[in-house]
Structure formats: structure tokens, C-alpha cells
């Protein structure tokens, strides 16, 4: 059985996780709303991920809502001691599946307790505060008020560590004056590289960077350069894209998502792919051509 040990590890607060993890978002129904098409298949994916060495799972109670957390609990509880489950708060779902900000003290507190209940935990390993100044990408604006609420929930023992999602560099600096930040979760991939400088700064400071949509998300990566490198290496384009991310910086943690066991195995195998320096340099040009 293939494992992911060759991808290395990084620390999230007091937790050590393998750099190639799993994102549970795609286990919910279409549009990350409602139940999965195949309940048992969703459980199989989670169990296979852990069986193959994954010890970092990313989720949120607003996936579904509640769907992915309940699936994780059904598939994996009682949890192994080395499994780190990272969740996020700061949004809620409308009845039509829309994504809405949820930043009030009451909403954030309820979200933490919903995550605790649905995951079956007494304390959450890591909670990312998802900033919704602009749902389509990071936008400036103070995050002091919601982060202070989350820091108080941490002080009360419901949360071990705090991360941020969809944030600017200025918001990260503001946050670090309020609480210790162990990870940042922004959009980043081979073609979407606006956070290059931020990644390097976070690496210097020992803070994990967790790119969402590492394979392009709802618009999968497409590049003749990527396809050409993959063909030469005898790999899939998505494996090459993940391998490039693992080589980009030591603090990058990957959480590619899928609802398929076969696709999960394909993603995890990216940790074993040796990406030659000339191929990496060639791939570096994809963003400039995008």
C-alpha cells in the first residue's frame, strides 16, 4: 500500500502533521450542499485516507451544512491520537446553498459548538477564522472583533490553535497581535500565485500555509506545460501540480479533496513523485502564462 511518509511533516501548534492531507469539502452534495450522492462511498474515502497515513483532515460544519463533520465522525471516531482535524468558522449557508458571513459573537460561538458536537470532540485541534469581507478573495478590513471572540473561546478551552482563511498580509499581522496564528489558508496553486511573498514570510516565521483549491477547485488546472511535464514523468497533471506545491516551500500543507477512493490514491501518490529541477523551473512559468 502506498503511504505519504515521503512528503515530510510540519507542525500546527503542538501537532505534527504530514504535509499531504485531505480536504473533506467534496464529500458533501453538489455545491457543497446537502448529503453525498453515495454515503458509503464517502465513508470509504475517509477510512482509506487514514489507512494510507493521512493525519490532517480539513473540514467545516458549514460544508453541507453539518454533512462532512457527521461523516468524519461516523467513519473515524473514536479518533486516533495522531489525527489532526482542522475546521473553520465565519460563514453559514443560506437555504438556497448561498455562502453568508457569520461574524457576530453569537454566530462564532455557535459555530465552534456545532463543530464540537458534530465531530464528537471536547476540543477542536485548529479552528480557522474564514474572513468574508469579500467572499471571492482576500480584501482589507479589520478582523479584530471576530478574532477576539475566537481567542476567548480558545482561552476557555474549546479551541487549541487558531488559523486564518481568505486573508491579506495586513490582516495576518493584525491577528498575530491578538493571538498566536498557526496556519493561513488562502487560494494558491500552480497558476494562481498571488501569495508567493506571503508564503516565504510565513515559512520564515514557522507558520503553515494551506492552499485551498490546490488543483484549481471548481475550475481544474489546465496547462499544456503541466500536461507535457506530466507525460514526461509518467504521472498525471494533478500529481505533478501537487508535487510542485510540495517543492514550493517546506511550510505548505496540502489538503486536496475528492469523493473517490481512486482519485484519493492518485493524489497521495504525488508525495512519491520526484520533480526534477528543470521541470520545476518550467512549471514556474505557468503562472506568467495564465
Amino acid at each position: 500500500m502506498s503511504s505519504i511518509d515521503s512528503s515530510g511533516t510540519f507542525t500546527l501548534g503542538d501537532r505534527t502533521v504530514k504535509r499531504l492531507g485531505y480536504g473533506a469539502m467534496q464529500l458533501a452534495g453538489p455545491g457543497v450542499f446537502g448529503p453525498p450522492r453515495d454515503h458509503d462511498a464517502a465513508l470509504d474515502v475517509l477510512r482509506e485516507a487514514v489507512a494510507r497515513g493521512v493525519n490532517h483532515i480539513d473540514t467545516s460544519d458549514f460544508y453541507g451544512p453539518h454533512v462532512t463533520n457527521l461523516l468524519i465522525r461516523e467513519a473515524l471516531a473514536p479518533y486516533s491520537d495522531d489525527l489532526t482535524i482542522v475546521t473553520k468558522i465565519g460563514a453559514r449557508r443560506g437555504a438556497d446553498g448561498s455562502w453568508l458571513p457569520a461574524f457576530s459573537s453569537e454566530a462564532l460561538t455557535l459555530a465552534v459548538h456545532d463543530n464540537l458536537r458534530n465531530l464528537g470532540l471536547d476540543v477542536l485541534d485548529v479552528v480557522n477564522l474564514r474572513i468574508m469581507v469579500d467572499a471571492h478573495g482576500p480584501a482589507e478590513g479589520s478582523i479584530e472583533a471576530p478574532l477576539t471572540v475566537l481567542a476567548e473561546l480558545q482561552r476557555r478551552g474549546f479551541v487549541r490553535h487558531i488559523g486564518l482563511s481568505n486573508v491579506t498580509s495586513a490582516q495576518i499581522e493584525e491577528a498575530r497581535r491578538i493571538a498566536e496564528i498557526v496556519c493561513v489558508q488562502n487560494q494558491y496553486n500552480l497558476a494562481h500565485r498571488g501569495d508567493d511573498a506571503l508564503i516565504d514570510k510565513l515559512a520564515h516565521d514557522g507558520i503553515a500555509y494551506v492552499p485551498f483549491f490546490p488543483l484549481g477547485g471548481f475550475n481544474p488546472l489546465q496547462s499544456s506545460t503541466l500536461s507535457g511535464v506530466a507525460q514526461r514523468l509518467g504521472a498525471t497533471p494533478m500529481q505533478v501540480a501537487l508535487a510542485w506545491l510540495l517543492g514550493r516551500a517546506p511550510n505548505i500543507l496540502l489538503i486536496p479533496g475528492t469523493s473517490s477512493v481512486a482519485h484519493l490514491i492518485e493524489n497521495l501518490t504525488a508525495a512519491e513523485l520526484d520533480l526534477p529541477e528543470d521541470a520545476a523551473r518550467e512549471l514556474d512559468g505557468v503562472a506568467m502564462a495564465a
Side-chain angles (χ1 to χ4, degrees):
M1 178 183 290
S2 173
S3 72
I4 58 170
D5 291 344
S6 57
S7 64
T9 62
F10 199 77
T11 56
L12 283 172
D14 63 347
R15 309 287 291 178
T16 298
V17 299
K18 295 175 183 177
R19 293 182 60 211
L20 191 45
Y22 173 73
M25 183 176 73
Q26 292 188 33
L27 294 183
V32 200
F33 197 67
R37 293 187 177 92
D38 187 328
H39 182 91
D40 290 343
L43 299 180
D44 288 343
V45 169
L46 288 162
R47 290 168 178 153
E48 186 69 19
V50 170
R52 289 180 177 268
V54 167
N55 66 354
H56 170 205
I57 293 178
D58 181 87
T59 185
S60 175
D61 211 53
F62 55 70
Y63 293 163
H66 317 305
V67 169
T68 61
N69 281 355
L70 291 171
L71 288 168
I72 289 168
R73 182 177 183 175
E74 182 179 354
L76 302 178
Y79 305 110
S80 62
D81 290 340
D82 75 332
L83 180 63
T84 297
I85 299 176
V86 178
T87 189
K88 63 185 70 64
I89 62 174
R92 64 180 179 85
R93 306 302 295 277
D96 59 351
S98 55
W99 304 78
L100 305 171
F103 280 143
S104 71
S105 176
E106 294 79 7
L108 294 170
T109 301
L110 177 63
V112 165
H113 286 285
D114 281 348
N115 277 280
L116 287 167
R117 181 184 65 256
N118 290 325
L119 287 168
L121 293 169
D122 296 321
V123 58
L124 299 170
D125 292 323
V126 183
V127 175
N128 287 322
L129 179 63
R130 169 77 179 185
I131 302 303
M132 297 282 285
V133 175
D134 183 340
H136 301 291
E140 297 295 354
S142 176
I143 63 172
E144 178 180 2
L147 186 61
T148 298
V149 174
L150 183 52
E152 174 60 18
L153 290 164
Q154 181 187 43
R155 189 192 67 79
R156 292 169 59 190
F158 298 117
V159 175
R160 285 197 178 92
H161 303 292
I162 293 174
L164 301 171
S165 178
N166 201 43
V167 285
T168 67
S169 295
Q171 288 165 339
I172 295 168
E173 291 308 308
E174 179 186 34
R176 294 181 69 184
R177 294 191 290 269
I178 299 169
E180 180 183 1
I181 302 300
V182 302
C183 59
V184 171
Q185 194 176 88
N186 279 359
Q187 182 178 2
Y188 184 85
N189 55 51
L190 187 61
H192 190 286
R193 297 184 55 184
D195 273 358
D196 269 335
L198 175 60
I199 288 171
D200 294 337
K201 183 180 188 307
L202 295 175
H204 178 269
D205 294 343
I207 297 173
Y209 184 92
V210 188
F212 61 77
F213 295 158
L215 299 176
F218 300 115
N219 298 297
L221 293 174
Q222 293 185 6
S223 161
S224 58
T225 300
L226 176 61
S227 297
V229 170
Q231 185 175 19
R232 292 202 309 270
L233 297 179
T236 69
M238 298 301 99
Q239 287 173 327
V240 171
L242 292 173
W244 179 87
L245 283 167
L246 288 172
R248 168 61 185 83
N251 63 323
I252 287 182
L253 305 180
L254 299 184
I255 49 168
T258 179
S259 58
S260 158
V261 167
H263 190 201
L264 169 75
I265 295 169
E266 176 185 320
N267 288 341
L268 295 182
T269 305
E272 303 169 5
L273 185 61
D274 183 17
L275 194 61
E277 289 186 13
D278 61 336
R281 286 195 299 270
E282 189 176 351
L283 292 167
D284 285 343
V286 170
M288 292 183 285

